[in-house]
Amino acid sequence: MAHAHESNTKKIWIVLIILTLITGVEVWLGIIKPDFLYLSNLLGTSWLNWIFIILTLVKAYFIAWSFMHLEGEKKWFRRAIVWTPIFLICYLVTLLLIEGGYVYDTLGPLVKW
């Protein structure tokens, strides 16, 4: 039996619109850089940086979900594919913030930033 050919045009447009909106929000926040987000700190960096990190992870998850066709896979396979890189990226961000804070605190008195 032959499978019926389904057009994915609608799905591609929806993915394009969602990714464009998220990217638009990132660009808009990067251009206007609101003081209440940029000058306040949370866990070693500004709220604005956390928003960029979270939106980037959301885009990566959505791209994997849509273009790797993970919506049709079994639940545990999806989790293994998507959550492992997200965990590793969060771990990398944590290490970079800790080390960056250490370098800033250590070299702060010696270097005029």
Side-chain angles (χ1 to χ4, degrees):
M1 296 211 122
H3 293 286
H5 177 70
E6 295 180 22
S7 175
N8 288 325
T9 306
K10 181 179 177 183
K11 178 183 172 185
I12 291 171
W13 279 106
I14 290 172
V15 169
L16 176 70
I17 290 169
I18 291 172
L19 291 176
T20 302
L21 288 174
I22 293 174
T23 304
V25 168
E26 286 178 335
V27 169
W28 179 73
L29 284 173
I31 290 173
I32 66 164
K33 204 185 280 190
D35 287 341
F36 69 95
L37 292 176
Y38 180 65
L39 299 176
S40 59
N41 284 330
L42 173 69
L43 299 174
T45 190
S46 69
W47 281 93
L48 189 62
N49 286 343
W50 283 113
I51 291 171
F52 286 143
I53 291 167
I54 291 168
L55 288 177
T56 302
L57 288 174
V58 167
K59 283 196 312 187
Y61 180 83
F62 193 70
I63 288 169
W65 182 265
S66 299
F67 295 118
M68 291 177 64
H69 308 286
L70 292 179
E71 69 270 5
E73 298 293 340
K74 295 190 181 220
K75 179 169 68 170
W76 290 106
F77 182 69
R78 286 191 313 241
R79 289 182 181 173
I81 296 293
V82 173
W83 288 107
T84 302
I86 287 179
F87 168 75
L88 292 174
I89 290 169
C90 290
Y91 183 63
L92 174 68
V93 167
T94 302
L95 290 179
L96 288 173
L97 289 174
I98 290 170
E99 291 298 320
Y102 172 76
V103 169
Y104 181 78
D105 292 341
T106 304
L107 296 178
L110 304 173
V111 177
K112 190 160 191 152
W113 301 98

